[in-house]
């Protein structure tokens, strides 16, 4: 994937702003841009991001590429910060947000400020600085309780949390700014993104099970599966997300901008299948590792049974085709955890 990105940007030098660059997805976007020889300003306030992620990027790209990067520690809820960051910028990749449903229920004002207020500040600043385009992280939480499988962009359901509302509000603001001010925007509804640098959290979705289960299996513990294990999700390797995000930033088709897209793997796996695939990947890393059978517990009755993204629109207008299958992405992720995170077995 990196060689394709480098080839597509070889003759195109831009000044990029990446927000949330110390986060899981944001750090991978930053890494891809620097490897492609792009000039990047990035920002994070370290509420959920990690300095270790930035150090991982620096190690991955080397000092000459890292010299093209300027990092700013700041909060986008301050409009002056956004105005300063956007000066001289051509393209923005906005990854900064709060994606925790539980945190948003506990403190909706804080989540609104970090997600919607920050985004409006960024839109206003981008317009003032004549930024060409903003590609922003949206969320599959926009589908709420909609049961359609696969999910298409024009059929959403009743939103379930303040975090989902804030992220959907960003889609509305982006649409209005494109029509009122001529700012090009592209929203990407990420599904269950996983990969290196992701950490497990109790207040996040099924993708966060991957680092948790990897660690549990490595330590000989039994993984906990809620329900019968036949619930399914559209898991998407972070390399696919980077590919689609940069395609959205660089697409020249006028019909492709000022749109919202599903960005996912386009295939689903059950939790039982996910458990088996992680076990297989760990077995390749450590042939003698014994994997304990999972334990099944009661499922959340409010949780959707199945999710799957229709990625036809992204294929058609962005040229997006996932480069990594679920099994390929898991192999890369598990290898990273074994090398960087887990204690020797």
């Amino acid at each position: 994937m990196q060689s394709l990105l480098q080839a597509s940007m070889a003759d195109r030098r831009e000044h990029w702003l990446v927000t949330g660059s110390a986060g899981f997805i944001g750090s991978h976007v930053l890494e891809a841009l620097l490897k492609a020889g792009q000039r990047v300003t990035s920002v994070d306030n370290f509420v959920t991001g990690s300095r270790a992620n930035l150090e991982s990027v620096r190690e991955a790209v080397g000092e000459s590429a890292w010299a093209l990067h300027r990092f700013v520690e700041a909060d986008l809820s301050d409009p002056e910060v956004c105005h300063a960051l956007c000066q001289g910028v051509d393209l923005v990749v906005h990854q900064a947000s709060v994606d925790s449903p539980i945190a948003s229920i506990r403190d909706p004002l804080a989540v609104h400020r970090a997600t919607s207020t920050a985004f409006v500040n960024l839109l206003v600043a981008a317009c003032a600085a004549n930024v060409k385009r903003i590609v922003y992280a949206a969320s599959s939480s926009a589908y709420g309780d909609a049961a359609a499988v696969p999910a298409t962009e024009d059929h959403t359901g009743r939103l379930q949390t303040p975090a989902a509302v804030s992220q959907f509000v960003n889609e509305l603001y982006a649409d209005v700014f494109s029509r009122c001010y001529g700012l090009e925007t592209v929203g990407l509804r990420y599904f269950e993104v996983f990969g290196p640098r992701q950490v497990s959290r109790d207040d996040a979705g099924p993708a966060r099970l991957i680092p948790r289960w990897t660690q549990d299996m490595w330590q000989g513990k039994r993984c906990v599966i809620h329900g019968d294990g036949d619930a399914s999700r559209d898991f998407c390797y972070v390399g696919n997300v980077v590919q689609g995000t940069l395609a959205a930033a660089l697409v020249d088709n006028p019909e492709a901008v000022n749109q919202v897209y599903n960005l996912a793997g386009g295939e689903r796996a059950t939790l039982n299948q996910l458990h088996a695939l992680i076990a297989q990947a760990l077995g390749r890393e450590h042939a003698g590792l014994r994997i304990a059978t999972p334990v099944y517990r009661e499922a959340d009755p409010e949780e959707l049974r199945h999710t799957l993204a229709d990625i036809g629109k992204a294929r058609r207008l962005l040229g997006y085709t996932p480069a990594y299958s679920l099994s390929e992405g898991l192999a890369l992720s598990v290898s990273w955890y074994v090398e960087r995170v887990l204690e020797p077995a």
Side-chain angles (χ1 to χ4, degrees):
M1 181 195 68
Q2 292 295 348
S3 60
L4 291 175
L5 289 173
Q6 289 170 351
S8 67
M9 289 189 277
D11 299 321
R12 183 169 182 169
R13 293 291 185 267
E14 308 278 8
H15 182 186
W16 301 68
L17 171 63
V18 177
T19 73
S21 62
F24 163 45
I25 298 176
S27 67
H28 283 280
V29 172
L30 174 63
E31 178 180 331
L33 289 173
L34 292 177
K35 283 183 174 179
Q38 302 296 296
R39 178 186 171 203
V40 185
T41 296
S42 80
V43 60
D44 205 293
N45 62 5
F46 295 113
V47 171
T48 57
S50 166
R51 296 182 191 277
N53 286 343
L54 293 176
E55 286 303 315
S56 293
V57 173
R58 186 172 187 169
E59 178 184 340
V61 304
E63 291 303 317
S64 60
W66 186 254
L68 298 172
H69 172 230
R70 178 176 72 98
F71 176 73
V72 178
E73 182 177 353
D75 195 314
L76 301 179
S77 62
D78 182 344
E80 295 304 317
V81 165
C82 293
H83 280 283
L85 288 169
C86 285
Q87 297 304 308
V89 165
D90 301 304
L91 299 164
V92 175
V93 178
H94 178 56
Q95 294 290 333
S97 67
V98 176
D99 63 353
S100 168
I102 294 177
S104 73
I105 291 172
R106 291 173 178 164
D107 193 347
L109 288 176
V111 170
H112 182 88
R113 182 172 58 253
T115 304
S116 294
T117 300
F119 188 57
V120 174
N121 287 343
L122 192 61
L123 290 171
V124 171
C127 288
N130 295 315
V131 169
K132 296 176 185 177
R133 183 179 301 170
I134 292 184
V135 177
Y136 63 96
S139 172
S140 60
S141 64
Y143 294 107
D145 61 359
V149 176
T152 57
E153 288 87 348
D154 54 350
H155 290 92
T156 57
R158 186 172 56 181
L159 304 182
Q160 302 296 296
T161 66
V165 171
S166 293
Q167 288 173 313
F168 188 69
V169 164
N170 285 2
E171 295 185 18
L172 302 179
Y173 271 121
D175 179 64
V176 167
F177 269 71
S178 68
R179 289 185 287 110
C180 291
Y181 305 107
L183 176 65
E184 292 185 357
T185 66
V186 180
L188 301 173
R189 290 177 183 164
Y190 299 145
F191 277 64
E192 296 293 339
V193 185
F194 71 94
R197 302 187 194 130
Q198 185 181 44
V199 296
S200 177
R201 288 208 323 258
D202 292 334
D203 58 349
R208 303 285 184 160
L209 292 174
I210 293 171
R212 178 180 302 168
W213 284 0
T214 299
Q215 179 170 317
D216 287 348
M217 290 183 199
W218 190 255
Q219 295 175 346
K221 299 178 182 178
R222 300 179 71 185
C223 300
V224 176
I225 297 178
H226 291 277
D228 58 9
D230 287 332
S232 64
R233 294 291 181 268
D234 190 332
F235 295 98
C236 185
Y237 182 63
V238 69
N240 294 332
V241 166
V242 172
Q243 172 195 356
T245 300
L246 297 185
L250 298 171
V251 66
D252 291 326
N253 181 2
E255 295 182 7
V257 298
N258 306 327
Q259 301 271 2
V260 176
Y261 298 89
N262 289 336
L263 207 61
E267 60 177 337
R268 62 180 179 177
T270 67
L271 297 183
N272 284 328
Q273 290 170 332
L274 180 68
H275 186 277
L277 287 170
I278 296 173
Q280 289 173 13
L282 277 171
R284 289 190 290 269
E285 296 290 331
H286 188 325
L289 188 66
R290 297 185 63 181
I291 306 297
T293 58
V295 58
Y296 294 87
R297 294 186 179 162
E298 186 176 357
D300 181 352
E302 300 297 322
E303 193 166 2
L304 288 175
R305 180 74 168 166
H306 303 289
T307 65
L308 175 66
D310 183 333
I311 59 173
K313 182 179 177 182
R315 287 184 189 273
R316 186 176 70 256
L317 294 177
L318 299 180
Y320 168 69
T321 299
Y324 300 91
S325 68
L326 173 58
S327 59
E328 290 169 337
L330 284 174
L332 291 168
S333 302
V334 167
S335 179
W336 184 86
Y337 288 121
V338 169
E339 179 182 351
R340 296 294 191 98
V341 178
L342 303 177
E343 296 292 333

Coordinates of all heavy atoms in Angstrom, one line a residue, residues 254-313:
P254 N -15.1 15.8 -9.3 CA -15.9 16.8 -8.5 C -17.1 16.1 -7.9 O -17.6 16.6 -6.9 CB -16.3 17.8 -9.6 CG -15.3 17.6 -10.7 CD -14.9 16.2 -10.7
E255 N -17.6 15.0 -8.5 CA -18.8 14.4 -7.9 C -18.4 13.6 -6.6 O -19.4 13.3 -5.8 CB -19.3 13.4 -8.9 CG -19.9 14.0 -10.2 CD -20.5 13.0 -11.1 OE1 -20.6 11.8 -10.7 OE2 -20.9 13.3 -12.2
A256 N -17.2 13.4 -6.3 CA -16.8 12.6 -5.2 C -16.7 13.5 -3.9 O -16.7 12.9 -2.8 CB -15.4 12.0 -5.4
V257 N -16.6 14.8 -4.0 CA -16.4 15.7 -2.8 C -17.8 16.1 -2.3 O -18.8 15.9 -3.0 CB -15.5 16.9 -3.1 CG1 -14.2 16.5 -3.6 CG2 -16.2 17.8 -4.2
N258 N -17.8 16.6 -1.1 CA -19.0 17.0 -0.4 C -20.0 15.8 -0.3 O -21.2 15.9 -0.5 CB -19.7 18.2 -1.1 CG -18.7 19.3 -1.3 OD1 -17.8 19.6 -0.5 ND2 -18.9 20.1 -2.4
Q259 N -19.4 14.7 0.1 CA -20.1 13.4 0.2 C -19.7 12.8 1.5 O -18.7 13.1 2.2 CB -19.8 12.5 -0.9 CG -20.1 13.0 -2.3 CD -21.6 12.6 -2.7 OE1 -22.3 12.1 -1.9 NE2 -21.9 13.0 -3.9
V260 N -20.5 11.8 2.0 CA -20.1 10.9 3.1 C -20.1 9.5 2.6 O -20.9 9.1 1.8 CB -21.2 11.1 4.2 CG1 -20.9 10.1 5.4 CG2 -21.2 12.5 4.8
Y261 N -19.1 8.8 3.1 CA -18.8 7.4 2.6 C -18.7 6.4 3.8 O -18.1 6.8 4.8 CB -17.5 7.3 1.8 CG -17.5 8.1 0.5 CD1 -17.1 9.5 0.6 CD2 -17.9 7.6 -0.7 CE1 -17.0 10.2 -0.6 CE2 -17.9 8.4 -1.9 CZ -17.4 9.7 -1.8 OH -17.4 10.5 -2.9
N262 N -19.1 5.2 3.5 CA -18.7 4.1 4.4 C -17.3 3.7 4.1 O -16.9 3.6 2.9 CB -19.6 2.9 4.2 CG -21.0 3.0 4.7 OD1 -21.3 3.8 5.6 ND2 -21.9 2.3 4.1
L263 N -16.5 3.5 5.1 CA -15.1 3.1 4.9 C -14.9 1.8 5.8 O -14.9 2.0 7.0 CB -14.1 4.1 5.2 CG -12.8 4.0 4.5 CD1 -13.0 4.1 3.0 CD2 -11.8 5.1 4.9
A264 N -14.8 0.7 5.2 CA -14.8 -0.6 5.9 C -14.2 -1.6 5.1 O -13.7 -1.4 4.0 CB -16.2 -0.9 6.3
G265 N -14.2 -2.9 5.6 CA -13.7 -4.0 4.9 C -14.6 -4.5 3.9 O -14.2 -5.2 2.9
G266 N -15.9 -4.3 4.1 CA -16.9 -4.8 3.2 C -17.2 -6.3 3.3 O -17.8 -6.9 2.5
E267 N -16.7 -6.9 4.4 CA -17.0 -8.3 4.7 C -17.2 -8.3 6.3 O -16.6 -7.5 7.0 CB -15.9 -9.2 4.3 CG -14.5 -8.9 4.9 CD -13.4 -9.8 4.5 OE1 -13.7 -11.0 4.1 OE2 -12.2 -9.4 4.6
R268 N -17.9 -9.3 6.7 CA -18.2 -9.4 8.1 C -17.7 -10.7 8.7 O -17.5 -11.7 7.9 CB -19.6 -9.2 8.5 CG -20.6 -10.2 7.9 CD -22.0 -10.0 8.3 NE -22.9 -10.9 7.7 CZ -24.2 -11.0 7.9 NH1 -24.8 -10.0 8.7 NH2 -25.0 -11.9 7.4
A269 N -17.4 -10.7 10.0 CA -16.9 -12.0 10.6 C -17.7 -12.0 12.0 O -17.9 -11.0 12.6 CB -15.4 -12.0 10.9
T270 N -18.0 -13.2 12.4 CA -18.6 -13.4 13.7 C -17.5 -13.3 14.8 O -16.3 -13.4 14.5 CB -19.3 -14.8 13.8 OG1 -18.3 -15.8 13.8 CG2 -20.3 -15.0 12.7
L271 N -18.0 -13.1 16.0 CA -17.0 -13.1 17.1 C -16.3 -14.4 17.3 O -15.1 -14.4 17.6 CB -17.7 -12.6 18.4 CG -18.3 -11.3 18.4 CD1 -18.9 -10.9 19.7 CD2 -17.3 -10.2 18.0
N272 N -17.0 -15.5 17.0 CA -16.4 -16.8 17.0 C -15.3 -16.9 16.0 O -14.2 -17.4 16.2 CB -17.4 -17.9 16.8 CG -18.2 -18.2 18.1 OD1 -17.8 -18.0 19.2 ND2 -19.5 -18.5 17.9
Q273 N -15.6 -16.4 14.8 CA -14.6 -16.4 13.7 C -13.4 -15.5 14.0 O -12.2 -15.9 13.8 CB -15.2 -16.0 12.4 CG -16.2 -17.0 11.8 CD -17.0 -16.5 10.7 OE1 -17.2 -15.3 10.6 NE2 -17.4 -17.4 9.8
L274 N -13.7 -14.4 14.6 CA -12.6 -13.5 15.0 C -11.7 -14.1 16.0 O -10.4 -14.1 15.9 CB -13.2 -12.2 15.6 CG -12.2 -11.1 16.1 CD1 -11.4 -10.5 14.9 CD2 -12.9 -10.0 16.9
H275 N -12.3 -14.8 17.0 CA -11.5 -15.5 18.0 C -10.6 -16.6 17.4 O -9.4 -16.7 17.7 CB -12.4 -16.2 19.0 CG -11.7 -16.8 20.2 ND1 -11.2 -18.1 20.1 CD2 -11.4 -16.4 21.4 CE1 -10.6 -18.4 21.3 NE2 -10.8 -17.4 22.1
A276 N -11.1 -17.3 16.4 CA -10.3 -18.4 15.7 C -9.2 -17.8 14.9 O -8.1 -18.3 14.9 CB -11.3 -19.2 14.9
L277 N -9.5 -16.7 14.2 CA -8.4 -16.0 13.4 C -7.3 -15.5 14.2 O -6.1 -15.6 13.8 CB -9.1 -14.9 12.5 CG -10.0 -15.4 11.4 CD1 -10.7 -14.2 10.8 CD2 -9.1 -16.1 10.3
I278 N -7.6 -14.9 15.4 CA -6.6 -14.4 16.2 C -5.7 -15.6 16.8 O -4.5 -15.5 16.8 CB -7.1 -13.6 17.4 CG1 -7.8 -12.3 16.9 CG2 -6.0 -13.2 18.4 CD1 -8.6 -11.5 18.0
A279 N -6.4 -16.6 17.1 CA -5.7 -17.8 17.6 C -4.8 -18.4 16.6 O -3.6 -18.8 16.9 CB -6.7 -18.9 18.1
Q280 N -5.2 -18.4 15.3 CA -4.4 -18.9 14.2 C -3.2 -18.0 14.0 O -2.0 -18.5 13.8 CB -5.2 -18.9 12.9 CG -6.2 -20.0 12.9 CD -7.1 -19.9 11.7 OE1 -6.8 -19.2 10.7 NE2 -8.2 -20.6 11.7
A281 N -3.4 -16.7 14.1 CA -2.3 -15.7 13.9 C -1.2 -15.9 15.0 O 0.0 -15.8 14.8 CB -2.8 -14.3 13.9
L282 N -1.7 -16.1 16.3 CA -0.8 -16.3 17.4 C -0.1 -17.6 17.3 O 1.1 -17.7 17.7 CB -1.6 -16.2 18.7 CG -1.9 -14.8 19.3 CD1 -2.8 -14.9 20.4 CD2 -0.6 -14.1 19.7
G283 N -0.7 -18.6 16.7 CA -0.1 -19.9 16.6 C 1.1 -19.8 15.6 O 2.1 -20.5 15.7
R284 N 1.0 -18.9 14.6 CA 2.1 -18.7 13.7 C 3.3 -18.0 14.4 O 4.4 -18.2 14.0 CB 1.6 -18.0 12.5 CG 0.7 -18.8 11.5 CD 0.5 -18.1 10.2 NE -0.3 -16.9 10.4 CZ -1.7 -16.9 10.3 NH1 -2.3 -18.1 10.0 NH2 -2.4 -15.8 10.4
E285 N 2.9 -17.2 15.4 CA 4.0 -16.5 16.1 C 4.7 -17.3 17.1 O 5.8 -17.2 17.5 CB 3.4 -15.2 16.8 CG 2.9 -14.2 15.8 CD 3.9 -13.5 15.0 OE1 5.0 -13.3 15.6 OE2 3.6 -13.0 13.9
H286 N 3.9 -18.3 17.7 CA 4.4 -19.1 18.8 C 3.7 -20.5 18.6 O 2.6 -20.7 19.1 CB 4.1 -18.5 20.1 CG 4.7 -19.2 21.3 ND1 4.9 -20.6 21.4 CD2 5.2 -18.7 22.5 CE1 5.4 -20.9 22.5 NE2 5.6 -19.8 23.2
A287 N 4.4 -21.4 18.0 CA 3.8 -22.7 17.6 C 3.4 -23.5 18.8 O 2.4 -24.3 18.7 CB 4.8 -23.5 16.8
G288 N 4.0 -23.3 19.9 CA 3.7 -24.1 21.1 C 2.6 -23.5 22.0 O 2.3 -24.0 23.1
L289 N 2.1 -22.3 21.6 CA 1.1 -21.6 22.4 C -0.2 -22.4 22.5 O -0.8 -22.8 21.5 CB 0.9 -20.2 21.9 CG 0.0 -19.3 22.8 CD1 0.8 -19.0 24.1 CD2 -0.3 -18.0 22.0
R290 N -0.7 -22.6 23.7 CA -2.0 -23.3 23.9 C -3.1 -22.2 24.1 O -3.0 -21.4 25.0 CB -2.0 -24.2 25.1 CG -1.0 -25.4 24.9 CD -1.0 -26.3 26.0 NE -2.4 -27.0 26.1 CZ -2.7 -27.9 27.0 NH1 -1.8 -28.2 28.0 NH2 -3.9 -28.5 27.0
I291 N -4.1 -22.3 23.3 CA -5.2 -21.3 23.3 C -6.4 -21.8 24.1 O -6.9 -22.9 23.8 CB -5.7 -20.9 21.9 CG1 -4.5 -20.4 21.1 CG2 -6.8 -19.8 22.0 CD1 -3.8 -19.2 21.6
A292 N -6.7 -21.2 25.2 CA -7.9 -21.6 26.0 C -9.2 -21.4 25.3 O -9.3 -20.4 24.5 CB -7.9 -20.9 27.4
T293 N -10.2 -22.2 25.5 CA -11.5 -22.0 24.9 C -12.1 -20.8 25.5 O -11.9 -20.5 26.7 CB -12.4 -23.2 25.1 OG1 -12.5 -23.5 26.6 CG2 -11.8 -24.5 24.5
P294 N -12.9 -20.0 24.7 CA -13.6 -18.8 25.3 C -14.7 -19.1 26.2 O -15.2 -20.3 26.3 CB -14.1 -18.1 24.0 CG -14.3 -19.2 23.0 CD -13.2 -20.2 23.3
V295 N -15.0 -18.2 27.1 CA -16.2 -18.3 28.0 C -17.3 -17.4 27.4 O -17.0 -16.2 27.0 CB -15.8 -17.9 29.4 CG1 -15.2 -16.5 29.5 CG2 -17.0 -18.1 30.3
Y296 N -18.5 -17.8 27.4 CA -19.6 -17.1 26.9 C -20.5 -16.5 28.0 O -20.8 -17.2 29.0 CB -20.5 -18.0 26.0 CG -19.8 -18.4 24.7 CD1 -18.9 -19.6 24.8 CD2 -19.8 -17.7 23.6 CE1 -18.3 -20.0 23.6 CE2 -19.1 -18.1 22.4 CZ -18.4 -19.2 22.5 OH -17.7 -19.6 21.3
R297 N -20.8 -15.2 27.9 CA -21.6 -14.5 28.9 C -22.8 -13.8 28.2 O -22.9 -13.8 27.0 CB -20.8 -13.6 29.7 CG -19.7 -14.3 30.5 CD -19.0 -13.3 31.4 NE -18.0 -14.1 32.2 CZ -16.9 -13.5 32.8 NH1 -16.8 -12.2 32.8 NH2 -16.1 -14.3 33.5
E298 N -23.7 -13.3 29.0 CA -24.9 -12.7 28.5 C -24.6 -11.5 27.6 O -23.7 -10.7 27.9 CB -25.8 -12.3 29.6 CG -27.1 -11.7 29.2 CD -28.0 -11.4 30.4 OE1 -27.6 -11.6 31.5 OE2 -29.2 -10.9 30.1
A299 N -25.3 -11.4 26.5 CA -25.1 -10.3 25.5 C -25.9 -9.1 26.0 O -26.9 -9.2 26.7 CB -25.5 -10.7 24.1
D300 N -25.4 -7.9 25.5 CA -26.2 -6.7 25.7 C -27.4 -6.7 24.8 O -27.3 -6.8 23.6 CB -25.3 -5.5 25.4 CG -26.0 -4.1 25.6 OD1 -27.2 -4.1 25.8 OD2 -25.3 -3.1 25.4
P301 N -28.6 -6.7 25.4 CA -29.8 -6.8 24.5 C -30.0 -5.6 23.6 O -30.8 -5.7 22.6 CB -31.0 -6.9 25.6 CG -30.4 -6.2 26.8 CD -29.0 -6.6 26.8
E302 N -29.4 -4.5 23.9 CA -29.5 -3.3 23.0 C -28.5 -3.3 21.8 O -28.7 -2.5 20.9 CB -29.2 -2.0 23.9 CG -30.2 -1.8 25.0 CD -31.6 -1.6 24.6 OE1 -31.8 -1.0 23.5 OE2 -32.5 -2.2 25.2
E303 N -27.6 -4.2 21.8 CA -26.6 -4.2 20.8 C -27.1 -4.8 19.5 O -27.8 -5.9 19.6 CB -25.3 -4.9 21.3 CG -24.1 -4.7 20.4 CD -22.8 -5.1 21.1 OE1 -22.9 -5.6 22.2 OE2 -21.8 -4.9 20.5
L304 N -26.7 -4.2 18.4 CA -27.1 -4.8 17.1 C -26.5 -6.2 16.9 O -25.3 -6.4 17.3 CB -26.8 -3.9 15.9 CG -27.5 -2.6 15.8 CD1 -26.9 -1.8 14.7 CD2 -29.0 -2.9 15.5
R305 N -27.3 -7.1 16.3 CA -26.8 -8.4 16.1 C -25.7 -8.5 15.0 O -24.7 -9.2 15.1 CB -27.9 -9.3 15.7 CG -27.6 -10.8 15.4 CD -27.3 -11.6 16.7 NE -27.3 -13.0 16.4 CZ -26.8 -13.9 17.3 NH1 -26.3 -13.5 18.4 NH2 -26.8 -15.2 17.0
H306 N -25.9 -7.7 13.9 CA -25.0 -7.8 12.8 C -24.8 -6.3 12.2 O -25.7 -5.5 12.2 CB -25.5 -8.6 11.6 CG -25.8 -10.0 12.0 ND1 -24.8 -11.0 12.3 CD2 -27.0 -10.7 12.2 CE1 -25.4 -12.1 12.7 NE2 -26.7 -12.0 12.6
T307 N -23.6 -6.1 11.8 CA -23.3 -4.8 11.1 C -22.4 -5.2 9.9 O -21.6 -6.1 9.9 CB -22.6 -3.8 11.9 OG1 -21.3 -4.2 12.3 CG2 -23.4 -3.4 13.1
L308 N -22.6 -4.5 8.8 CA -21.9 -4.7 7.5 C -22.0 -3.4 6.7 O -23.1 -2.9 6.6 CB -22.4 -5.9 6.8 CG -21.7 -6.2 5.4 CD1 -20.3 -6.5 5.5 CD2 -22.5 -7.3 4.6
A309 N -20.9 -3.0 6.2 CA -20.9 -1.7 5.4 C -21.1 -2.1 3.9 O -20.4 -3.0 3.4 CB -19.7 -0.9 5.6
D310 N -21.9 -1.3 3.2 CA -21.9 -1.3 1.7 C -20.9 -0.3 1.3 O -21.0 0.9 1.5 CB -23.3 -0.9 1.2 CG -23.4 -1.0 -0.3 OD1 -22.3 -0.8 -1.0 OD2 -24.5 -1.2 -0.8
I311 N -19.8 -0.8 0.7 CA -18.7 0.1 0.3 C -18.7 0.5 -1.2 O -17.7 1.0 -1.7 CB -17.3 -0.4 0.7 CG1 -17.0 -1.8 0.1 CG2 -17.2 -0.5 2.2 CD1 -15.6 -2.3 0.3
G312 N -19.9 0.2 -1.8 CA -20.0 0.4 -3.2 C -19.8 1.9 -3.7 O -19.2 2.2 -4.7
K313 N -20.3 2.8 -2.8 CA -20.1 4.2 -3.2 C -18.7 4.6 -3.1 O -18.2 5.4 -4.0 CB -21.0 5.1 -2.2 CG -20.9 6.6 -2.4 CD -21.8 7.3 -1.4 CE -21.7 8.8 -1.6 NZ -22.6 9.5 -0.6

